[in-house]
Amino acid sequence: MRKILIVGGGYAGFYTAWKLERKLRRDEADLTIVDPRPYMTYQPFLPEVVAGSIEARHAAVSMRRHLRRTHVVAGSVTAIDHEHRVVTVEPNTGDDFELSYDLIVVTAGAVTRKFPVPGIAEQAIGLKHVEEA
Ligand SMILES: Cc1cc2nc3c(=O)[nH]c(=O)nc-3n(C[C@H](O)[C@H](O)[C@H](O)COP(=O)(O)OP(=O)(O)OC[C@H]3O[C@@H](n4cnc5c(N)ncnc54)[C@H](O)[C@@H]3O)c2cc1C
């Protein structure tokens, strides 16, 4: 059975797993998603959280609840060895380990840019995560 590994369970990664669960039979592929957070953040809702219009939990979609047959791994991928088709995972707790794959989907998103504006890195708060909102 082919192993499909998704790096990052944000908008792109979550929907990739969700759709593949519907398109592929159980014996067709083994799905795994790796993300340090157990939920997909619906970022367009974050300004609403800041404004107090909705609660923070409404911007988060639980991966374990909605991805019924995808293995959810809590951690960060720190290296991809495409030649050997293996990634290194730094789990939220415990020692690093490796995961092999046949197909990899890299959807680790982006980080907030801090532009060379004096003080912005120290004073400003990003708006990509629920915690920041
Ligand atoms: C405030 C705000 C409002 C927005 N409003 C809109 C809108 O109205 N309409 C619109 O179309 N778009 C909007 N966007 C843009 C949209 O949210 C993004 O384009 C979309 O979230 C990008 O999806 P992504 O999967 O590429 O990245 P993300 O959703 O950021 O997901 C990346 C995921 O990868 C994980 N990750 C990162 N590094 C690693 C690693 N090393 N190993 C494992 N996992 C990792 C992260 O934890 C995260 O869960 C908005 C964005 C923001 C911030």
Coordinates of all heavy atoms in Angstrom, one line a residue, residues 7-13 34-37 39 41 43-47 75-78 107-110 127-129, ligand 1:
V7 N 3.1 17.0 5.0 CA 3.9 17.9 6.0 C 3.1 19.2 6.2 O 3.0 20.0 5.3 CB 5.3 18.1 5.5 CG1 6.1 19.0 6.5 CG2 6.0 16.9 5.1
G8 N 2.5 19.3 7.4 CA 1.7 20.5 7.7 C 0.2 20.3 7.5 O -0.2 19.9 6.4
G9 N -0.5 20.5 8.6 CA -1.9 20.3 8.6 C -2.7 21.6 8.6 O -3.7 21.8 9.4
G10 N -2.2 22.6 7.8 CA -2.9 23.9 7.7 C -4.0 23.7 6.6 O -4.5 22.6 6.4
Y11 N -4.3 24.8 6.0 CA -5.4 24.8 5.0 C -5.2 23.8 3.9 O -6.0 23.0 3.6 CB -5.6 26.2 4.4 CG -6.9 26.5 3.8 CD1 -8.0 26.7 4.5 CD2 -7.0 26.4 2.4 CE1 -9.3 26.9 3.9 CE2 -8.2 26.5 1.7 CZ -9.3 26.8 2.5 OH -10.5 27.0 1.9
A12 N -4.0 23.9 3.3 CA -3.7 23.0 2.1 C -3.6 21.6 2.6 O -4.1 20.6 2.0 CB -2.5 23.5 1.4
G13 N -2.8 21.3 3.7 CA -2.6 20.0 4.1 C -3.8 19.3 4.7 O -4.1 18.1 4.3
V34 N 1.6 15.4 9.5 CA 2.5 15.8 10.6 C 2.3 17.3 10.8 O 2.5 18.1 9.8 CB 4.0 15.5 10.3 CG1 4.9 15.9 11.5 CG2 4.2 14.1 9.9
D35 N 2.0 17.7 12.0 CA 1.9 19.1 12.3 C 2.1 19.3 13.8 O 1.6 18.4 14.6 CB 0.5 19.7 11.9 CG 0.5 21.2 11.8 OD1 0.7 21.9 12.9 OD2 0.3 21.7 10.7
P36 N 2.8 20.3 14.3 CA 2.9 20.5 15.7 C 1.6 20.8 16.4 O 1.5 20.6 17.6 CB 3.9 21.7 15.9 CG 3.9 22.4 14.5 CD 3.5 21.3 13.5
R37 N 0.6 21.3 15.6 CA -0.7 21.6 16.2 C -1.7 20.5 15.9 O -1.7 20.1 14.7 CB -1.2 23.0 15.7 CG -0.4 24.1 16.2 CD -0.9 25.5 15.7 NE -0.2 26.5 16.3 CZ 1.1 26.9 16.0 NH1 1.7 26.4 15.0 NH2 1.7 27.9 16.7
Y39 N -4.7 20.9 15.3 CA -5.9 21.4 14.6 C -5.5 22.3 13.4 O -4.3 22.7 13.3 CB -6.7 22.3 15.5 CG -5.9 23.4 16.2 CD1 -5.6 24.6 15.6 CD2 -5.4 23.1 17.5 CE1 -4.8 25.5 16.3 CE2 -4.6 24.1 18.2 CZ -4.3 25.2 17.6 OH -3.5 26.2 18.2
T41 N -5.9 25.6 11.4 CA -6.3 27.0 11.8 C -6.9 27.6 10.5 O -6.3 27.7 9.5 CB -5.1 27.9 12.2 OG1 -4.4 27.2 13.3 CG2 -5.5 29.3 12.6
Q43 N -7.4 30.6 9.1 CA -6.8 31.9 9.3 C -7.7 33.1 9.0 O -7.7 34.1 9.6 CB -5.5 32.0 8.6 CG -4.4 31.1 9.1 CD -3.1 31.0 8.3 OE1 -3.0 31.7 7.3 NE2 -2.2 30.2 8.7
P44 N -8.6 33.0 7.9 CA -9.5 34.1 7.6 C -10.3 34.5 8.8 O -10.8 35.7 8.9 CB -10.3 33.6 6.5 CG -9.4 32.7 5.8 CD -8.7 32.0 6.9
F45 N -10.5 33.6 9.8 CA -11.3 34.0 11.0 C -10.5 34.7 12.1 O -11.2 35.2 13.0 CB -12.0 32.7 11.6 CG -13.3 32.3 10.9 CD1 -13.9 31.1 11.4 CD2 -13.9 33.0 9.9 CE1 -15.1 30.7 10.8 CE2 -15.1 32.7 9.4 CZ -15.7 31.5 9.8
L46 N -9.2 34.7 12.0 CA -8.4 35.2 13.1 C -8.7 36.7 13.3 O -8.8 37.1 14.5 CB -6.9 35.0 12.8 CG -6.5 33.5 12.8 CD1 -5.0 33.4 12.5 CD2 -6.8 32.9 14.1
P47 N -8.9 37.6 12.3 CA -9.3 39.0 12.6 C -10.6 39.0 13.4 O -10.8 39.9 14.3 CB -9.4 39.6 11.3 CG -8.5 38.8 10.4 CD -8.7 37.4 10.9
G75 N 4.1 16.9 15.7 CA 5.5 17.3 15.7 C 5.8 18.1 14.4 O 4.9 18.4 13.6
S76 N 7.1 18.4 14.3 CA 7.5 19.1 13.1 C 8.5 18.3 12.3 O 9.3 17.6 12.8 CB 8.3 20.4 13.6 OG 7.4 21.2 14.3
V77 N 8.4 18.4 11.0 CA 9.3 17.8 10.1 C 10.5 18.7 10.0 O 10.4 19.9 9.7 CB 8.7 17.5 8.7 CG1 9.8 17.1 7.7 CG2 7.6 16.5 8.8
T78 N 11.7 18.2 10.3 CA 12.9 19.0 10.3 C 13.8 18.7 9.1 O 14.7 19.5 8.9 CB 13.7 18.8 11.6 OG1 14.0 17.4 11.8 CG2 12.9 19.3 12.8
T107 N 3.2 21.0 2.6 CA 2.2 22.1 2.8 C 2.5 22.8 4.1 O 1.6 22.9 5.0 CB 0.8 21.6 2.7 OG1 0.6 20.5 3.5 CG2 0.4 21.3 1.3
A108 N 3.7 23.2 4.3 CA 4.1 23.8 5.7 C 3.9 25.3 5.7 O 4.2 25.9 6.7 CB 5.6 23.5 5.9
G109 N 3.2 25.8 4.8 CA 2.8 27.2 4.8 C 4.0 28.2 4.8 O 5.0 28.0 4.1
A110 N 3.8 29.3 5.5 CA 4.8 30.4 5.5 C 4.9 30.9 6.9 O 4.1 30.6 7.8 CB 4.3 31.5 4.5
L127 N -0.3 37.3 13.1 CA -1.7 36.9 13.1 C -1.9 35.7 12.2 O -2.7 35.7 11.2 CB -2.5 38.1 12.6 CG -4.1 38.0 12.8 CD1 -4.4 37.7 14.2 CD2 -4.8 39.2 12.3
K128 N -1.1 34.6 12.5 CA -1.3 33.4 11.8 C -1.8 32.3 12.6 O -2.2 31.2 12.1 CB 0.1 33.0 11.2 CG 0.5 33.8 10.0 CD 1.7 33.2 9.3 CE 1.5 31.9 8.5 NZ 0.6 32.2 7.3
H129 N -1.7 32.4 14.0 CA -2.1 31.4 14.9 C -3.2 31.8 15.8 O -3.3 33.0 16.2 CB -0.9 30.9 15.6 CG 0.2 30.4 14.8 ND1 0.1 29.4 13.9 CD2 1.5 30.9 14.6 CE1 1.2 29.2 13.2 NE2 2.1 30.1 13.6
Ligands
LIG1 C1 -5.3 37.0 9.1 C2 -5.4 36.2 7.8 C3 -6.6 36.3 7.0 C4 -6.7 35.6 5.8 N1 -7.9 35.8 5.1 C5 -8.0 35.1 3.9 C6 -9.2 35.3 3.1 O1 -10.1 36.0 3.5 N2 -9.3 34.6 1.9 C7 -8.2 33.8 1.5 O2 -8.4 33.2 0.5 N3 -7.1 33.6 2.2 C8 -7.0 34.3 3.4 N4 -5.8 34.1 4.1 C9 -4.8 33.3 3.6 C10 -5.0 31.8 3.9 O3 -5.3 31.6 5.2 C11 -3.6 31.1 3.6 O4 -3.4 31.3 2.2 C12 -3.7 29.6 3.9 O5 -3.9 29.4 5.3 C13 -2.4 29.0 3.4 O6 -2.5 27.6 3.6 P1 -1.3 26.7 3.8 O7 -1.8 25.3 4.0 O8 -0.3 27.0 2.7 O9 -0.5 27.3 5.1 P2 -1.1 27.3 6.6 O10 -2.6 27.3 6.6 O11 -0.3 28.4 7.3 O12 -0.6 25.9 7.2 C14 0.7 25.5 7.4 C15 0.8 24.4 8.4 O13 2.0 23.8 8.4 C16 2.5 23.6 9.7 N5 3.9 23.5 9.7 C17 4.8 24.5 9.6 N6 6.1 24.0 9.6 C18 5.9 22.7 9.8 C19 6.9 21.7 9.9 N7 8.2 21.9 9.8 N8 6.5 20.4 10.1 C20 5.1 20.1 10.1 N9 4.2 21.1 10.1 C21 4.6 22.4 9.9 C22 1.9 24.8 10.5 O14 1.8 24.5 11.9 C23 0.5 24.9 9.8 O15 -0.5 24.2 10.5 C24 -5.7 34.8 5.3 C25 -4.5 34.6 6.1 C26 -4.4 35.3 7.3 C27 -3.1 35.2 8.2

